[in-house]
Amino acid sequence: MRISRTTPWAAALAAGALLLLPATATAGQQEAALPHAAAAPASATASVDAYYAAAEGKTGAALKTALHGIIKNQSKISYSAVWDALKVTDQDPNNASNVILVYSGRSQSKSTNGGGVDDWNREHVWAQSHGNFGTTTGPGTDLHHIRPEDVTVNSTRGNKDFDLGGSPVSEAAGSYTDSNSFEPRNAVKGDVARMLLYMAVRYQGGDGFADLEVNDSSVNGSVPWHGRISVLKQWNAIDPPDAFEQRRNQIIFDSYQHNRNPFIDHPEWVNSIW
């Protein structure tokens, strides 16, 4: 049976209160919803604004369509190239020899990637089976939803939808799982939400891949849907983009795919569309 832990969050959201989550000291691993980063230079802000010019003033389905038209223009990399890319995008800000594992929060040597029990591998946050894209160049290699994770924890998550509650996950403190869902640690709840919503906008079925969509189910199995949208919206609200997530978005844009995750730049667009 799922252990519900939604009540405090729902109450806080309804009241419009700011919910603070427990914090740790390591960059990229903080368990609190961080304050927004200092204002970016005017030139950088103007560049991002120009990128989204076609979406300006739009809401709802029109906004989703406009964003798809913007972010579908991307460079693609091979699945083998993802290894080296993750060593850059997910580098530990405090140790250039390490990456931060997304669910575990552990800082681990870049050189320990592989298939061993304590290695880290390539976690598809939008599960590969939810659309049957596997590791095909495109959704299967899109860095905006692939993160380093401990092999065992990756296996525990499997292709489960995201929801609240369950039993604690070994080697991923603060994460929970049950028979059909996975709840990540507080510090990356918003990251997970924004990665899934990026995928739902980027892949609309027009380029040979399935039309990926979010819904409010936690038993999606192998259909091209992922849930639960009601929970993802909460996570986006309580865990806004932090410096680690923003840096990652910029690196993917500058050095790899040349497209952005719009919900990192504009998290308010989540409620506008869904």
Side-chain angles (χ1 to χ4, degrees), residues 90 143 146-147 244-252:
D90 291 76
L143 292 170
I146 303 177
R147 301 287 290 267
F244 186 89
E245 191 180 1
Q246 291 166 339
R247 172 185 173 274
R248 190 176 195 279
N249 194 31
Q250 191 65 43
I251 290 172
I252 294 172

Side-chain angles (χ1 to χ4, degrees), residues 16-243:
L18 175 64
L19 179 61
L20 297 179
L21 303 171
T24 59
T26 303
Q29 298 174 273
Q30 54 269 47
E31 294 294 331
L34 298 181
H36 290 292
S43 59
T45 301
S47 177
V48 172
D49 288 346
Y51 180 76
Y52 294 116
E56 184 177 355
K58 294 181 171 62
T59 60
L63 175 58
K64 184 181 180 186
T65 297
L67 292 176
H68 171 71
I70 295 167
I71 67 176
K72 71 178 182 179
N73 299 306
Q74 69 180 96
S75 300
K76 300 179 178 68
I77 66 173
S78 69
Y79 195 48
S80 60
V82 169
W83 285 123
D84 288 334
L86 293 180
K87 294 175 183 179
V88 179
T89 61
D90 291 76
Q91 179 176 294
D92 183 344
N94 295 322
N95 185 342
S97 297
N98 287 11
V99 292
I100 299 291
L101 308 188
V102 60
Y103 306 135
S104 304
R106 187 169 73 237
S107 178
Q108 184 160 323
S109 173
K110 293 177 178 179
S111 65
T112 59
N113 61 295
V117 173
D118 291 318
D119 289 341
W120 62 268
N121 60 6
R122 298 159 290 188
E123 156 68 347
H124 290 76
V125 177
W126 185 291
Q128 300 170 49
S129 65
H130 292 226
N132 193 32
F133 53 76
T135 59
T136 304
T137 299
T141 65
D142 196 314
L143 292 170
H144 281 299
H145 83 116
I146 303 177
R147 301 287 290 267
E149 185 47 68
D150 175 86
V151 167
T152 303
V153 176
N154 194 346
S155 178
T156 297
R157 188 267 158 139
N159 72 341
K160 296 173 182 175
D161 288 283
F162 291 94
D163 201 353
L164 293 158
S167 302
V169 177
S170 177
E171 296 190 73
S175 296
Y176 300 83
T177 192
D178 60 19
S179 62
N180 57 27
S181 72
F182 190 90
E183 176 185 353
R185 61 193 176 100
N186 289 338
V188 295
K189 281 180 163 65
D191 303 50
V192 165
R194 289 180 284 274
M195 285 186 277
L196 292 184
L197 298 177
Y198 161 86
M199 293 292 282
V201 170
R202 166 60 187 88
Y203 298 98
Q204 296 281 291
D207 50 3
F209 300 108
D211 181 2
L212 306 183
E213 296 293 344
V214 287
N215 64 8
D216 211 34
S217 172
S218 60
V219 289
N220 281 308
S222 61
V223 297
W225 305 325
H226 233 304
R228 296 181 55 212
I229 183 57
S230 59
V231 174
L232 298 177
K233 289 174 66 176
Q234 290 180 23
W235 291 355
N236 176 63
I238 66 171
D239 175 35
D242 62 15

